[in-house]
Structure formats: structure tokens, C-alpha cells
Amino acid sequence: MSAERPTEQRRFTTPQGFLLAGSFLITLGSFAVLPYMSVLLHQRLGLGLGTVGVVLAVASLIQFAGGVVAGPVAARIGLRRSMLVALALRTAGFAAFVPGLTSPVLAIGALLLVSAGAALYLPANKAYLVGGSPDADRPRLLSASSSAFNAGMALGPPAAAPLVMGSPGVLFTCVAGLFALVGVGHAFLPREEAHPETDASPEPTPGEPRSRLSPFLVTVVSVYAFMFFQHYLALYAVPRTSAGFYGVVLMGYAALLVVAQPLLAEWIAALSYPAALRWGFGAMAAGMAAIAGGGHAGIAVGGALLCVGEIVLFLKNDLEALARSSAPPATVFGRQRLAAGIGAFASGVVGGQLYAAAESAGSARAFWVVVGLQCLLLPVLLMYGGRRTARGRSEPRAEAASELRG
């Protein structure tokens, strides 16, 4: 019997399996459309590139910062209902794109609906997924969820490519229908209220040493560093290799994420937070250095190293945020989404200036060198700040104790 227990613990429950399959389908549908949004708004609807940039920035802000709304909404109406409301918003948004193909106002409104639905859905989805499960299962569940999302992200754009420009109305109709079907499936999920342990906060282990690093701040910095790669690799890689090779790198990156994250989940969970920062930022720094070397091999190796850094940091940040907070999981994941949004915004602002400066100096490789140096310095600053915070909190206690003894 004891030999069978580990196998049973590793199975997904039926609701968990459905959520993982739904995560893949939802991301597949979303990324069949969203990567092409700038093209549709600019070429089909005639919006200027400046206007397109503002629209996409607002949509991204809603999608990330709006995650903090998920916690209060879930606390009021429940996780399952939050997901249903979110899917209804996204279904309505994709359906509104059909008449929006001839109306910029409708198209922008549809995009904002889709973004609001994403902001509400993702924290509730993760909270429902880990709810009622032992802490030891959280790395496996969160890594499987990330793999499902990344698989959908990888397959969505090529699946939609034949329709996106020639028959976008058909594409949006299919995506809206897909979201409606997934939403119907969510209606049959058991209510989380039937499992009171889902809202239980993890108790800290007595005597367990814990770093003073803030998961929120570490997430901001992690996403800030990572998004330089996400935003600017195409600008650097395509002229030096080819668009086809860049596409292969992205597909390989997504495949590595899908396969490696579940395999590394337990190892990442066992790492201390400072060790995870050293591994994650170290891999990112090495990846940036490889990209700076240029060429097909350097860019491919750099992408693989960045993938390892993303896997370690993003999963560990979520696990630490859950372990340290007494708030419900939906609130924790909403805050993590806000942190990611802040990091992505800062990276976009700083990265544009850095890349322009590097190009004007005649060496785009210098951009990746500077970013790699940031990846080496940022964890040092984070850990130094954490130690100072720990000392600042302990010194008043020590002074108070000495006064009592005196």
C-alpha cells in the first residue's frame, strides 16, 4: 500500500485535469488572435502606429494590473464563478471582434473586454488549481499549468496564420465558440466552497529559516530582466540570421518550457530562495552573454539559457508568494500579476532607451552585455536589501530585550 501512495498523489483530479486542458485551449484561442492584433488594428482598421501602441499598452496594463481585482471578486463570488464571469467577458470580447472588423471603436472595446477577462481569470484559475492540495503538490500543479499555457502560446499563432488576414471573421467566430465551450465546461466544476481547505493559509514550519526577500519585488525584477529578451530578440536576431530561424528559436523555446518545467518543479521547490535567484539570474546572465556573441549558435544557446532562468525564477516566485502570505491564493496570484506588469512596463521603457543608445554607438551587442550585467547585479542588490531589512527588524527587538534586562 505504501508503494502505491506516491503514484496516487501524483495523479491529477478530474477538475484539475479539466483546468489544465482548459488552460491549453484558452491560451491556444487567445494566441491565435492577440499576436496579430497590431497588424489588424493598423492594416485593416487604419489606426496609426502611435494609436496602436497606446491601445496595446492600455490592454496590457488592464491584463496585468487588473489581476489585483481577482482577489476581492473571488472572495465575494467564489473562484468558479470568477472564472465563469471572466470567460463570459472573453467570449463576448472575441465575438465583438466580428462586427469590430469594420469599426475601430468596437475592435478596441472588444480588446479591452478580452484583457479584463484575462485579468480576472488567471488568478482564479491558479487558486482553484492549487486549492485543497497539499503544499508538496503545488510545484507540480503550477508547473503543469505553466506548461499548458505555454503549449497554447506556441501553437496558437501558426494555427491562426492561414485565417488571420484572409478570413479574420471566421477566426474570431471560432475563437469565441471555443471560449463558450470551455466556459460551459467550467460550469460543471465543483464549487470550491465544498472544500474548505482551499482557503486555508499554509502554516510556516516552526524554526524554518526563511529569507527576507520580497516575492513581489523579486517578481518585478525577474520580469524586468526577462522582458528585454522577449521584447528585443526579434530586432536583434532577424537581421543577423533570418525570420525563419527566429521562428524556430521561439518554437524550441516553447517546447523546452513545456517539457522542462514539470521535470524541474520539485528541484526548484527544494531550492532556498537565494539559491533560486543565483540559478535563475545566473542562467539569464549567461543567456544574454551568449546572445551578445551573435550567430545562430549563440542565439539558440542564449534562448535555452533564458528559458531555464524563466522556469526557475517564475515558478519559485509564485511558490514563495503563496508560502509567505496569509491572503487567499487568488489574491496572491493577482498581486503576482501586478508585479509582472510593473516589471514588463519598466523593461519596455528602459529597454527602448538602451537599445537605441547601443545602436547609435554602432554595437547592438552592447545592449545584451549591459542587460547581462544587470542580471548579475540585480540578485546581489535584492539579497543585500533583504539582509538589511532583516537586520533592521532584529535590531529594535535586541535593543528592547537589553532594556528589559537592564
Side-chain angles (χ1 to χ4, degrees):
M1 301 235 350
S2 61
E4 295 176 359
R5 190 168 302 162
T7 302
E8 291 176 359
Q9 289 177 346
R10 289 186 175 276
R11 291 176 182 163
F12 296 117
T13 65
T14 300
Q16 287 170 346
F18 172 80
L19 280 181
L20 293 174
S23 296
F24 167 73
L25 293 174
I26 285 170
T27 316
L28 178 72
S30 296
F31 276 77
V33 171
L34 297 180
Y36 301 105
M37 194 53 57
S38 60
V39 177
L40 289 170
L41 292 175
H42 177 58
Q43 293 188 3
R44 187 175 184 95
L45 295 174
L47 296 179
L49 287 175
T51 303
V52 170
V54 171
V55 170
L56 295 180
V58 171
S60 298
L61 183 63
I62 291 173
Q63 184 170 338
F64 281 102
V68 296
V69 178
V73 171
R76 186 170 184 84
I77 68 175
L79 296 174
R80 187 188 67 162
R81 289 180 178 174
S82 295
M83 289 189 287
L84 287 171
V85 171
L87 289 170
L89 288 173
R90 301 187 82 177
T91 302
F94 285 117
F97 271 116
V98 178
L101 291 171
T102 58
S103 168
V105 174
L106 275 176
I108 293 171
L111 178 60
L112 298 183
L113 270 179
V114 169
S115 299
L120 184 59
Y121 181 82
L122 291 173
N125 170 279
K126 285 187 174 182
Y128 192 103
L129 187 66
V130 303
S133 298
D135 289 356
D137 282 353
R138 284 178 169 177
R140 178 174 60 94
L141 292 168
L142 291 176
S143 62
S145 174
S146 179
S147 291
F149 277 112
N150 281 293
M153 290 169 62
L155 296 177
L163 294 174
V164 69
M165 294 307 294
S167 304
V170 174
L171 175 62
F172 285 115
T173 301
C174 291
V175 171
L178 176 64
F179 271 82
L181 287 174
V182 173
V184 170
H186 278 65
F188 291 96
L189 288 171
R191 292 183 180 179
E192 71 278 1
E193 288 82 2
H195 306 282
E197 66 270 22
T198 58
D199 291 329
S201 301
E203 294 293 331
T205 304
E208 179 186 359
R210 188 173 290 282
S211 166
R212 295 289 182 178
L213 292 165
S214 162
F216 184 92
L217 180 58
V218 176
T219 299
V220 171
V221 174
S222 301
V223 176
Y224 165 81
F226 171 75
M227 291 304 287
F228 288 111
F229 166 78
Q230 193 84 340
H231 284 150
Y232 298 102
L233 182 63
L235 195 60
Y236 177 82
V238 172
R240 289 164 177 80
T241 56
S242 67
F245 178 77
Y246 174 68
V248 169
V249 169
L250 291 188
M251 291 190 69
Y253 187 99
L256 184 59
L257 270 177
V258 170
V259 173
Q261 188 151 346
L263 297 176
L264 297 176
E266 292 185 5
W267 172 71
I268 294 169
L271 288 174
S272 68
Y273 209 8
L277 262 64
R278 288 192 289 269
W279 275 99
F281 281 106
M284 283 193 182
M288 300 297 182
I291 293 171
H296 293 74
I299 291 169
V301 170
L305 288 167
L306 265 294
C307 182
V308 173
E310 177 188 353
I311 290 171
V312 173
L313 289 173
F314 289 14
L315 177 58
K316 191 64 176 180
N317 287 338
D318 278 352
L319 292 173
E320 287 290 320
L322 281 172
R324 291 163 186 254
S325 178
S326 60
T331 300
V332 174
F333 288 123
R335 291 171 183 163
Q336 289 297 98
R337 291 282 295 172
L338 174 60
I342 294 171
F345 179 80
S347 181
V349 172
V350 174
Q353 301 299 318
L354 277 180
Y355 204 94
E359 281 202 326
S360 65
S363 177
R365 292 180 177 182
F367 169 83
W368 301 103
V369 173
V370 171
V371 174
L373 290 174
Q374 288 188 74
C375 291
L376 291 175
L377 292 174
L378 288 171
V380 175
L381 295 175
L382 285 170
M383 287 187 279
Y384 175 74
R387 285 195 295 269
R388 284 189 61 108
T389 301
R391 284 199 299 268
R393 290 176 178 173
S394 62
E395 286 171 2
R397 288 198 295 269
E399 290 174 3
S402 63
E403 288 174 4
L404 285 174
R405 285 196 299 270

